[in-house]
């Protein structure tokens, strides 16, 4: 069972390993969007958005809802939003540590 969970996590994070997919998920964290809305918000073509959505859909990270001819995308699990917030906090922590090390380096080089 432990191995299965590790494999799930690896595949899950692999699906998140593209900046555009992260951007799409951050946008979907604020609510459902269709391809045209995502295209406009991300600033890339519809084919590129559709390709990235297919990857996220195949990994059950996003889901679709059809309303007539309109297809909306949303997060499969609201905890994905929390994961993205935590990832930003980790980034900020790393940034603070890097800045702190840089400041120490500058002070040492002036001495």
């Amino acid at each position: 069972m432990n191995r299965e969970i590790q494999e799930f996590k690896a595949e899950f994070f692999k699906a998140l390993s593209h900046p555009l997919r992260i951007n799409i998920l951050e946008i979907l964290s604020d609510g459902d969007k269709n391809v045209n809305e995502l295209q406009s918000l991300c600033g890339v073509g519809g084919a590129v958005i559709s390709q990235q959505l297919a990857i996220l859909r195949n990994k059950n990270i996003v889901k679709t809802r059809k309303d007539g001819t309109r297809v909306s995308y949303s997060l499969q699990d609201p905890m994905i939003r929390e994961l993205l917030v935590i990832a930003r906090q980790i980034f900020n922590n790393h940034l603070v540590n890097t800045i702190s090390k840089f400041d120490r380096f500058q002070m040492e080089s002036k001495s």
Side-chain angles (χ1 to χ4, degrees):
M1 183 71 157
N2 196 25
R3 179 72 176 168
E4 291 170 353
I5 292 171
Q6 291 169 345
E7 287 178 19
F8 168 81
K9 288 178 182 179
E11 289 299 315
F12 178 80
F13 283 111
K14 192 186 315 182
L16 300 181
S17 68
H18 192 283
L20 182 54
R21 291 195 289 267
I22 296 294
N23 190 16
I24 290 168
L25 293 174
E26 289 175 337
I27 291 167
L28 293 177
S29 291
D30 293 329
D32 297 8
K33 300 283 184 278
N34 63 37
V35 171
N36 291 334
E37 292 169 317
L38 289 167
Q39 179 181 346
S40 174
L41 291 166
C42 292
V44 296
V48 175
I49 292 290
S50 293
Q51 180 184 31
Q52 300 306 322
L53 284 168
I55 293 167
L56 293 169
R57 203 174 49 247
N58 287 336
K59 297 296 180 183
N60 292 317
I61 296 172
V62 299
K63 61 184 177 182
T64 59
R65 184 176 50 84
K66 231 176 176 178
D67 185 19
T69 59
R70 178 187 156 113
V71 178
S72 294
Y73 291 84
S74 61
L75 298 178
Q76 179 72 29
D77 188 326
M79 290 186 73
I80 293 170
R81 182 176 194 197
E82 294 175 43
L83 177 67
L84 295 171
V85 169
I86 290 168
R88 180 177 296 270
Q89 291 169 342
I90 292 169
F91 170 79
N92 289 340
N93 290 343
H94 283 277
L95 187 59
V96 166
N97 289 336
T98 301
I99 290 169
S100 182
K101 287 177 186 177
F102 179 73
D103 288 344
R104 281 195 306 270
F105 173 76
Q106 279 190 317
M107 289 188 335
E108 289 173 3
S109 65
K110 288 180 182 179
S111 302

